[in-house]
Every structure is written in structure tokens, then in C-alpha cells.
Amino acid sequence: MIVFNLKCADGHVFEEWFRSSGEFEARQAAHEIECPTCGDRHVEKAIMAPRVNGGAKPEPVGCGGGCASGSCPFAQ
């Protein structure tokens, strides 16, 4: 599955999941994707920030970095 940020002709930005980029392209060409705000079916991909993790396990916000040493107060 892949998620794309989409934008309609009126400028509303929303995200939607697709099985592949090919599925997005086919549904876009058939005008099957609808803006949830206004119902416009002329959508395009919006600019997206990449999600880069690098394999590191994210720590909870406000953790203070104790997770790596095993002393995280949020660990259960």
C-alpha cells in the first residue's frame, strides 16, 4: 500500500491509500478519486515530505532519549 497527498482543483489537500502508483494513475484517469471536502474529481498529487526512518525505532515525544539505554519511563 502507498499513501499519496492529493489536491483538488479548488486547492483542498487530502490523503488516500492505493495498492500501487499504477492504481492511482488508473483511478485518476477515470476520475474515480473524489475530494472529501468539495466532491471535485479533478485531483493531482500534492507535494509530499518523504518519510525517512533509517530503521531506527522512534522514541515517544518528550522521552528525553532514555529509550536507547533501557531506562525509558514510557516503556512498558
Side-chain angles (χ1 to χ4, degrees):
M1 296 294 284
I2 186 168
V3 65
F4 289 124
N5 285 341
L6 305 175
K7 183 169 82 170
C8 74
D10 288 332
H12 302 122
V13 178
F14 58 100
E15 65 179 36
E16 192 159 328
W17 289 88
F18 300 92
R19 288 184 188 91
S20 65
S21 59
E23 179 194 8
F24 163 75
E25 293 167 7
R27 290 185 59 205
Q28 179 191 34
H31 300 288
E32 295 177 352
I33 306 166
E34 183 176 304
C35 172
T37 303
C38 67
D40 184 19
R41 292 178 181 256
H42 294 90
V43 300
E44 59 186 40
K45 289 181 189 176
I47 296 174
M48 296 176 57
R51 295 182 185 184
V52 179
N53 185 345
K57 185 175 180 180
E59 294 182 356
V61 174
C63 180
C67 293
S69 66
S71 62
C72 178
F74 296 101
Q76 296 183 17

